[in-house]
Amino acid sequence: MKVTIHSVAQEAGVSTTTVSKVINHTGSISEQTRKKVLEAMKKLNYSPDVAAASLRGKRTKAFGLLVPDVTNPFYAEVARSIEDRSHDFGYNVMMCNTDNDSEKEKSYLSLLTSQRIDGLVVASAFRSPDLLEEMLDKGFPMVLIASDIPKLSVNTVTVDDYKGGYLATSHLLSLGHKKIAIIIENVRSNTARMDAFKEAMLEADLQIPDGFIVKTEASILKGYQSGKKILSMKERPSAIFACNDLLAAGVLQAAKELGLNVPQDLSVVGFDNTVLSTTTSPMLTTVSQPIKLMGAKAVELLIGEMKEEKTNKERLLLSPELIIRQSTAKFNTAEI
């Protein structure tokens, strides 16, 4: 049986109005009564229905934002774009880093809802979608950005990852590269990029040797380690598609340590077009995500849902763009 505010009132021996005052920190309540209510809530494992409170118009003018890791330049730029657009509407943003850890997701979700946020932006893969589904069932305003959970009926803003992966691979093929490796992060978006990579290679009638597909975590260190492993193979690739700019930056470090010149000896393509892509040496050829637009659209969808302007959920799929810089060049037949 679902625990309600009435259940708490009965357990504490008070009225539902008193329970509401304790939850909302309003009215004049004795410390003894407040303690009784809080103990009843704890005993019954009751959490205030923040969704219903939000829908009743008790606004806090704050959004919650869940990201995997704000040290990743992509998520830092996503967070900034969301904060900027939220500010236009008079809202503040409370951000939490989940590290793609289910326990942290649960803990931070509890924290944010206890702070009575008016809406939630989820920018991580989110390992516990059932928690989000519960909130959506209550009518809580929410939007996913740079992540899609097909089972959920929720507003979503993503980029066409398949198209981006195809653009990156096709670019390398057009330069004459045949031995191309790929490094991916183990998340849904990167899976789509890998599928596009495989399709482009198949269309070019090219095989993908064992060891040319590496799954890892998103960091420069992991990119370096993965790149060094691939480039130390007896039959090394002439090009690597790293599915985010962090991994690509790590590959550049590995190539330099192994005495390989980029792009003469090795071409490298990243994904995201974050500020990192213009600070590496050489600057990265990469697939650009429209990060500023993604953040703005996410906030606008959230505001629209709060105002009940639209009852249907939208899944916005934005288009990526290939940005060619100095890390790719025509295949050098003299090297391999």
Side-chain angles (χ1 to χ4, degrees), residues 23 39 130 136 161 190 200 238 291 335:
I23 292 172
E39 287 177 349
D130 289 347
L136 289 167
D161 289 295
N190 278 213
S238 64
I291 299 175
E335 289 297 327

Side-chain angles (χ1 to χ4, degrees), residues 41-242:
M41 290 171 62
K42 183 177 181 181
K43 180 179 178 180
L44 298 175
N45 194 28
Y46 173 78
S47 296
D49 192 342
V50 295
S54 176
L55 293 174
R56 287 195 298 269
K58 297 180 180 179
R59 305 297 187 190
T60 59
K61 305 297 287 186
F63 294 142
L65 170 61
L66 296 176
V67 299
D69 181 7
V70 77
T71 62
N72 181 327
F74 172 73
Y75 290 108
E77 292 180 30
V78 164
R80 182 54 190 263
S81 66
I82 289 172
E83 183 179 37
D84 287 347
R85 192 64 179 127
S86 296
H87 186 265
D88 292 340
F89 289 99
Y91 279 80
N92 295 314
V93 177
M94 301 171 63
M95 184 179 66
C96 299
N97 291 275
T98 67
D99 294 319
N100 285 324
D101 179 90
S102 59
E103 287 303 314
K104 284 189 176 181
E105 290 173 351
K106 184 176 180 180
S107 175
Y108 283 135
L109 198 58
S110 177
L111 171 66
L112 290 171
T113 53
S114 71
Q115 296 298 314
R116 308 187 72 81
I117 55 173
D118 294 333
L120 179 67
V121 182
V122 180
S124 68
F126 214 84
R127 309 296 179 181
S128 308
D130 289 347
L131 296 177
L132 299 181
E133 190 170 23
E134 289 177 11
M135 297 180 69
L136 289 167
D137 288 343
K138 295 177 181 178
F140 191 81
M142 186 185 305
V143 62
L144 305 185
I145 181 172
S147 176
D148 187 16
I149 305 176
K151 66 174 286 188
L152 299 182
S153 177
V154 60
N155 288 311
T156 305
V157 181
T158 59
V159 74
D160 190 335
D161 289 295
Y162 187 92
K163 180 179 179 181
Y166 197 88
L167 285 172
T169 311
S170 296
H171 172 61
L172 293 171
L173 291 170
S174 71
L175 294 174
H177 295 281
K178 298 181 184 298
K179 293 183 178 181
I180 307 173
I182 184 171
I183 303 175
I184 69 168
E185 183 187 359
N186 191 25
V187 293
R188 187 184 300 274
S189 62
N190 278 213
T191 299
R193 296 168 196 177
M194 180 179 67
D195 288 345
F197 165 77
K198 289 179 177 179
E199 180 66 22
M201 293 292 282
L202 181 63
E203 290 177 358
D205 199 25
L206 294 173
Q207 298 294 317
I208 304 173
D210 291 340
F212 272 36
I213 297 178
V214 177
K215 292 184 180 181
T216 187
E217 299 169 12
S219 71
I220 292 177
L221 175 61
K222 293 298 183 180
Y224 162 79
Q225 292 172 339
S226 300
K228 191 171 183 181
K229 180 180 180 181
I230 293 171
L231 295 173
S232 297
M233 296 175 65
K234 185 176 181 180
E235 294 293 329
R236 67 173 176 82
S238 64
I240 295 179
F241 170 30

